């Protein structure tokens, strides 16, 4: 087990560490097995936060300690712990003989960073969409309040935009313009109403 990439530890019924592999020691910042053996897992976790040579990030450490105490009462469900240096591990407990439990500590730092990046990207997308919606609403309000009639026709001859003043000046029904008609259809509507006969 000393040669596997994931940390492995064995705790007794009182959560005292009775054995660890090398990967566990590296993950939790211990120089030797003797430093970790005999500590309860909560104390080993707290030790990890004090080995960074900087003030302990009290909130994250206490949050992790509370998580540990809750999870180790009835070991079995996997749980995640934040470690110093923006690292994360998932702890999976399995029951062993004589009241002992085997804990596997899997480094999930990359996964958590990807999750955080995805959440940040989603937040930026929502913010951009909200900004675009606000700008669109302002533009629509501006167009509706214009004194001039405005019609915008796309390259494939579809009427993309027609403000209320244009509909009033050209006597165009709102139901027709809401359907994004072709410009030819609008002209046909005008011809059916003999609008062009009034032109000089």
């Amino acid at each position: 087990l000393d040669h596997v990439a994931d940390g492995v530890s064995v705790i007794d019924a009182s959560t005292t560490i009775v054995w660890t592999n090398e990967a566990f020691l590296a993950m939790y910042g211990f120089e030797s097995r003797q430093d970790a053996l005999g500590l309860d897992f909560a104390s080993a976790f707290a030790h990890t936060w004090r080995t960074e040579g900087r003030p302990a990030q009290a909130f994250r450490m206490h949050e992790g300690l509370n998580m540990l105490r809750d999870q180790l009462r009835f070991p079995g469900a996997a749980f995640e712990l934040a470690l110093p240096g923006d690292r994360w591990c998932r702890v999976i407990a399995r029951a062993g003989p004589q009241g002992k439990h085997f804990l596997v500590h899997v480094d999930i730092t990359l996964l958590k960073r990807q999750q955080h990046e995805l959440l940040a990207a989603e937040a930026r997308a929502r913010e951009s969409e909200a900004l675009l919606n606000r700008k669109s609403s302002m533009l629509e309000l501006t167009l509706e309040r214009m004194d001039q009639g405005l019609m915008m026709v796309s390259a494939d001859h579809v009427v993309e935009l027609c403000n209320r003043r244009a509909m009033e000046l050209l006597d165009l029904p709102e139901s027709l313009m809401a359907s994004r008609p072709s410009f030819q259809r609008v002209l046909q509507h005008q011809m059916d109403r003999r609008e062009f006969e009034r032109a000089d």
Side-chain angles (χ1 to χ4, degrees):
L1 291 177
D2 266 333
H3 301 290
V4 300
D6 298 322
V8 179
S9 61
V10 180
I11 59 173
D12 64 17
S14 65
T15 78
T16 298
I17 298 170
V18 296
W19 186 86
T20 75
N21 71 348
E22 292 293 335
F24 172 91
L25 300 174
M27 183 177 289
Y28 288 88
F30 288 99
E31 293 183 7
S32 72
R33 268 199 187 94
Q34 293 309 312
D35 293 334
L37 298 181
L39 293 177
D40 63 88
F41 190 23
S43 297
F45 175 75
H47 159 86
T48 303
W49 283 92
R50 287 193 291 268
T51 61
E52 286 291 294
R54 60 181 180 176
Q57 299 179 30
F59 175 78
R60 299 191 84 179
M61 183 178 75
H62 288 300
E63 187 178 49
L65 287 171
N66 290 335
M67 170 79 71
L68 273 175
R69 291 186 184 106
D70 290 341
Q71 294 294 334
L72 292 180
R73 278 195 198 116
F74 307 100
F79 59 96
E80 296 176 358
L81 287 175
L83 298 174
D86 293 322
R87 293 177 298 125
W88 284 83
C89 75
R90 179 173 288 137
V91 181
I92 305 159
R94 291 292 179 265
Q98 301 174 341
K100 293 184 174 66
H101 281 82
F102 293 88
L103 304 183
V104 179
H105 310 258
V106 182
D107 190 325
I108 58 168
T109 301
L110 181 59
L111 174 64
K112 296 295 282 189
R113 286 176 183 167
Q114 290 171 340
Q115 288 176 346
H116 290 154
E117 288 169 7
L118 181 59
L119 290 173
E122 288 175 351
R124 288 193 299 271
R126 285 194 298 270
E127 187 177 328
S128 296
E129 184 178 5
L131 179 60
L132 180 60
N133 289 338
R134 285 196 299 272
K135 288 184 176 180
S136 296
S137 297
M138 291 173 62
L139 178 59
E140 288 175 12
L141 185 61
T142 300
L143 292 174
E144 287 302 307
R145 293 183 176 180
M146 287 177 63
D147 292 332
Q148 299 81 20
L150 179 67
M151 182 182 293
M152 185 175 74
V153 181
S154 69
D156 54 355
H157 311 294
V158 174
V159 179
E160 298 283 357
L161 185 146
C162 182
N163 72 352
R164 189 163 299 281
R165 184 60 178 149
M167 287 189 280
E168 291 170 355
L169 291 171
L170 301 174
D171 197 20
L172 298 170
E174 188 172 342
S175 59
L176 172 65
M177 304 317 294
S179 68
R180 295 180 72 247
S182 66
F183 189 60
Q184 185 60 40
R185 188 176 167 199
V186 175
L187 291 178
Q188 188 61 53
H189 174 83
Q190 297 293 82
M191 287 188 282
D192 291 345
R193 293 174 54 85
R194 300 180 182 275
E195 290 289 339
F196 297 117
E197 292 179 5
R198 306 173 197 172
D200 293 334

